[in-house]
Amino acid sequence: MSSITPNPELDVPADPSPSLDSTIGVFALGTFVSLCLYGFCIQQFYRHMRQPAADDWVIRSLAIGVMVLQTIHAIAPMHACYYYLVTNYDNFPSINVGIWSIDIIPTIAAMIVLTAEFFFARRVFLIGPWYKVVAVVAMLCLLTGSGLSIGLTARAYQIKDFATFGEKAKLTSFLSVGFDAIGDCLLAAAMITALRRSRASHSVSSILDVIVLYVVNTGLLSGILHAVTAILSIRYPGKLYWAALGLIVIRVYGITLFSVSAALSLNSRKLMLSRGIRVFNDEAFGRNIISRAHRLATVERWNVPHGREDDTPPVITVKVAAEIEVHGHGDSDLSKDYAHKGISRASP
């Protein structure tokens, strides 16, 4: 009785394909979570657009632009998942080959980051002189990260293999996400500092309010998630863990922008100009009242934290001088003038 000896060369594939779990599998999970958050973005954007168009046109334009980019960013991974899991479900080696819908994701993400973070940079810029430096440095970091993200798209069109692309572009991926994380954290730190110095930080009454105010509304959450994404990109360059988390991070940008603009800045805040102007005659006229009113209105419109001195309505000093016309020099001439005008002069 003869026995058949298995041939090891037939049992082990010559060109092993990548694992589904670490490539398209984790990318699909990130797509599912990001689509759930995309629905929340739509709800927040709907709340914003239902309000009267009395807010700053720049803020409204930013909201519309971010929503359009978020929609494109949601369609691209959906197409990629359909391509790999449906169209090529029986073509296992195609899992390791990139397509255009994955290649354009870094560029679309960079556009969303720049558009959304401009809103927060503008808020920080309006707080005060020292905060202007922080806003400029943060925007430079975000511009650098966006430029590197566009470079990733160009490299992805040249290198189609996921493993090869991950090894050759891991430094670029790390720097692009890392610069975005630095810019986010700088803006968040400036907003938290301003909140702590103003009365806005003491207006909350629960732990949930504190978390929403300091973590979500300041953009700190997106900065933390971007930092984790940068670590994953340098730790697992040949896998798509960082790409999956990146889909979720980009959705957090939209949620933060729409939450702050709709709920705080655009829908419920009242401008300083609507609070009225008080007039006194016992104080000296200070800074230009019109320019101050415009500045306070801008600060309120962009939901910028400010101290107690900015909470008081503008004050205009009006001084009234009474002038008495006297004809003559003597007391008798003054009496005749009163009598001529029909005014009785009271005795001292």
Side-chain angles (χ1 to χ4, degrees):
M1 186 175 182
S2 61
S3 60
I4 301 176
T5 303
N7 188 356
E9 296 181 357
L10 298 178
D11 294 339
V12 180
D15 185 18
S17 300
S19 173
L20 279 174
D21 293 335
S22 60
T23 54
I24 194 61
V26 69
F27 186 82
L29 290 177
T31 302
F32 299 154
V33 177
S34 67
L35 288 177
C36 295
L37 298 178
Y38 176 73
F40 192 68
C41 286
I42 295 177
Q43 190 267 344
Q44 293 290 333
F45 179 74
Y46 173 74
R47 286 181 54 198
H48 164 40
M49 296 306 294
R50 286 184 68 247
Q51 301 301 319
D55 52 273
D56 196 305
W57 67 270
V58 177
I59 306 178
R60 186 164 289 254
S61 300
L62 288 175
I64 296 174
V66 169
M67 192 68 243
V68 173
L69 293 173
Q70 288 280 0
T71 302
I72 300 175
H73 191 269
I75 294 175
M78 291 170 59
H79 174 270
C81 290
Y82 188 89
Y83 173 82
Y84 289 118
L85 302 178
V86 178
T87 304
N88 293 280
Y89 75 97
D90 57 346
N91 186 12
F92 195 75
S94 65
I95 297 297
N96 199 36
V97 180
I99 58 173
W100 66 267
S101 55
I102 284 186
D103 296 341
I104 66 171
I105 288 179
T107 298
I108 303 300
M111 297 172 65
I112 292 176
V113 170
L114 277 181
T115 308
E117 287 301 291
F118 176 80
F119 172 80
F120 295 99
R122 176 61 173 162
R123 295 174 70 199
V124 173
F125 191 85
L126 291 172
I127 295 176
W130 292 105
Y131 293 91
K132 291 181 173 63
V133 179
V134 177
V136 171
V137 173
M139 287 304 299
L140 289 177
C141 292
L142 294 170
L143 286 172
T144 304
S146 298
L148 293 173
S149 297
I150 297 174
L152 280 178
T153 297
R155 293 289 298 274
Y157 273 101
Q158 298 172 356
I159 306 173
K160 292 298 183 181
D161 183 76
F162 282 149
T164 305
F165 172 80
E167 289 296 333
K168 290 187 176 182
K170 63 179 181 180
L171 182 59
T172 306
S173 303
F174 173 77
L175 291 177
S176 64
V177 182
F179 274 110
D180 289 340
I182 293 174
D184 295 340
C185 292
L186 285 175
L187 295 177
M191 288 298 301
I192 291 175
T193 302
L195 288 171
R196 293 295 299 173
R197 292 180 178 180
S198 67
R199 293 192 303 176
S201 60
H202 305 288
S203 60
V204 294
S205 57
S206 66
I207 298 179
L208 180 60
D209 292 332
V210 173
I211 294 175
V212 171
L213 180 63
Y214 286 97
V215 179
V216 178
N217 291 349
T218 60
L220 180 61
L221 179 60
S222 58
I224 295 175
L225 293 178
H226 245 147
V228 176
T229 304
I231 296 174
L232 292 176
S233 67
I234 201 69
R235 178 65 179 83
Y236 304 102
K239 302 178 182 180
L240 297 182
Y241 295 129
W242 66 277
L245 183 59
L247 297 176
I248 300 174
V249 176
I250 296 304
R251 214 65 72 225
V252 172
Y253 278 99
I255 294 175
T256 304
L257 173 63
F258 296 141
S259 298
V260 175
S261 62
L264 298 177
S265 181
L266 300 181
N267 295 350
S268 61
R269 299 291 296 258
K270 295 182 180 179
L271 299 179
M272 279 292 186
L273 291 178
S274 64
R275 299 182 181 180
I277 297 178
R278 295 185 298 179
V279 179
F280 295 90
N281 61 353
D282 58 347
E283 296 181 7
F285 187 80
R287 58 184 296 183
N288 187 287
I289 197 65
I290 302 300
S291 63
R292 182 186 178 215
H294 282 299
R295 177 186 175 276
L296 294 180
T298 304
V299 165
E300 285 286 304
R301 186 180 296 112
W302 286 83
N303 190 33
V304 176
H306 48 279
R308 296 174 180 269
E309 66 275 3
D310 288 335
D311 290 335
T312 57
V315 177
I316 295 179
T317 300
V318 177
K319 294 185 178 296
V320 179
E323 181 180 355
I324 300 178
E325 183 180 0
V326 180
H327 298 280
H329 301 280
D331 186 70
S332 59
D333 293 334
L334 182 60
S335 301
K336 292 178 181 180
D337 185 69
Y338 272 94
H340 177 71
K341 294 181 178 180
I343 303 175
S344 60
R345 182 185 181 190
S347 347

